[in-house]
Structure formats: structure tokens, C-alpha cells
Amino acid sequence: MMMKKRLAAMLFIGAAALLLASYSNASDDSSIIVKSGNVFIDVIVEQEASSAALASTDERLFQTWMSSHSEIPYVQLGGSITITANRDLTGSYEIRDVLLKKDGSLKYSAQHSIKTGHVTDIQFDQGVGSFILTENMNAYLSSQSADYEPGAAIRGFKLYLGDTDESIVFVIRTDAGNAQEQKAVFECISAKPS
């Protein structure tokens, strides 16, 4: 009887320790919050990242993000994206982005920009930084009219924080360009040769 109580107590303590460990791991990702307006954007945080440049291995992170989300948040071009880190993060950092397919793989496997990506600078002050979402000019490479519909451009972002050796990865949907540009491109694509 005493042995059963000890075993039950040990199992309870082990289960409690595992539960606490899972909460502490889960809180690592929540230490960085990405938002646009009232929309929260989930992130993947990876430790020991190698550099700010996008690498082919980052495609795996984008695919992981996509496989775990049934809906991709929409951010309008010209909208602000705010990144809040729950630590004193100050300085200028580069965030890079590439175009993705619906499965998280690179839209253009030979994207020359995979190493550099579309680069935007973010200035952090006391753990908070933001940037304005601008066009990724590679969105105009598509000859598919569906890629110019509102919200059809899927973009993967990587922010490398060199002082902490962390990479933050997230995915959004947006437009290829502003409405007038999209209409002009769509008309060019759909125009029949005479």
C-alpha cells in the first residue's frame, strides 16, 4: 500500500514537471508578439540561427508555419506590422521576405532573392519595432492572373536578432501591388493578342 502511494506521488510529480516544462517552452514563442492592427500573427522562434540572410533551410520553417495554420492573416499593403519582444531590444535589424506557395515552399525555386530577400529595416526601441508593409517586386513575376487577386500574395518573413542568435519567422497574405497596378497587370495578362 505504501509502495503504491509512493509510486502515485512520483508519477504525479513527474507529470507536473513535464507540464511545467511544456509551458516554459511554449512561453518562449509568446515572448515575441507580432501584430498588424488588431490581428495577431503567430511566429516560430528558432535558436542558434546562422545569419540574417535567408537560406534554403528557412523554407522548412515556412512550411512548418503553413502546416500548422489553416488560415493566413491578411495585412494590407501600407499597413504597419509591429514586433514586440519581452526584453530590452534596441537597435536596427533587417527583416527579409520571400514569396511562398500555399504549402510554404518558395514560389520561385530559383528566387535570386532567397539569400537577400526583400529587405526592410526595423528600428527597435525598448523591445518594440515596426515597419510598413511595402510591395515585394517579385510578386509581379507571375503570369497567373489568380496571383494578382486581392490577398493572393503569400509572403514569408525572417527577422534575425544577432545579439540573441534567434530567428523569428512568420507568414502573411497580402496583395501583389496596389489596386490600380494589379488591375493594369491583370489586363495585360488577360489581353488576347490581336
Side-chain angles (χ1 to χ4, degrees):
M1 184 72 119
M2 186 67 129
M3 185 68 130
K4 285 184 180 181
K5 286 183 179 181
R6 282 186 186 166
L7 183 58
M10 288 173 56
L11 286 172
F12 177 77
I13 291 171
L18 286 173
L19 185 62
L20 286 174
S22 70
Y23 280 124
S24 65
N25 288 342
S27 68
D28 289 345
D29 285 357
S30 65
S31 67
I32 296 177
I33 299 167
V34 178
K35 284 179 67 162
S36 180
N38 294 327
V39 177
F40 285 90
I41 304 166
D42 289 337
V43 299
I44 293 176
V45 178
E46 183 169 78
Q47 298 294 327
E48 299 177 19
S50 57
S51 74
L54 285 162
S56 57
T57 54
D58 292 324
E59 184 176 47
R60 167 189 52 85
L61 293 173
F62 295 135
Q63 289 173 323
T64 300
W65 193 101
M66 296 287 280
S67 68
S68 62
H69 293 81
S70 60
E71 202 170 307
I72 305 168
Y74 173 81
V75 177
Q76 185 173 357
L77 287 174
S80 178
I81 296 177
T82 302
I83 301 171
T84 305
N86 290 331
R87 58 182 167 279
D88 187 22
L89 187 63
T90 303
S92 183
Y93 295 87
E94 292 179 341
I95 189 164
R96 299 164 187 265
D97 78 275
V98 290
L99 296 168
L100 302 174
K101 295 179 186 174
K102 291 180 182 178
D103 66 354
S105 62
L106 295 175
K107 184 152 184 84
Y108 305 109
S109 59
Q111 267 186 76
H112 66 83
S113 64
I114 185 61
K115 290 189 171 48
T116 59
H118 176 253
V119 180
T120 304
D121 287 323
I122 303 177
Q123 187 67 38
F124 278 88
D125 184 26
Q126 298 179 2
V128 179
S130 65
F131 67 99
I132 301 299
L133 183 64
T134 59
E135 295 175 342
N136 181 325
M137 297 310 285
N138 289 334
Y140 292 109
L141 296 175
S142 178
S143 61
Q144 304 296 314
S145 60
D147 289 341
Y148 296 94
E149 292 178 7
I154 301 172
R155 291 168 63 177
F157 289 82
K158 176 186 177 185
L159 173 65
Y160 174 68
L161 303 173
D163 51 347
T164 61
D165 278 336
E166 286 181 332
S167 282
I168 297 129
V169 172
F170 61 92
V171 177
I172 63 160
R173 281 184 317 109
T174 191
D175 306 317
N178 71 40
Q180 289 180 342
E181 287 173 348
Q182 283 181 223
K183 183 178 178 189
V185 170
F186 179 75
E187 287 172 358
C188 287
I189 290 171
S190 60
K192 295 182 179 171
S194 45

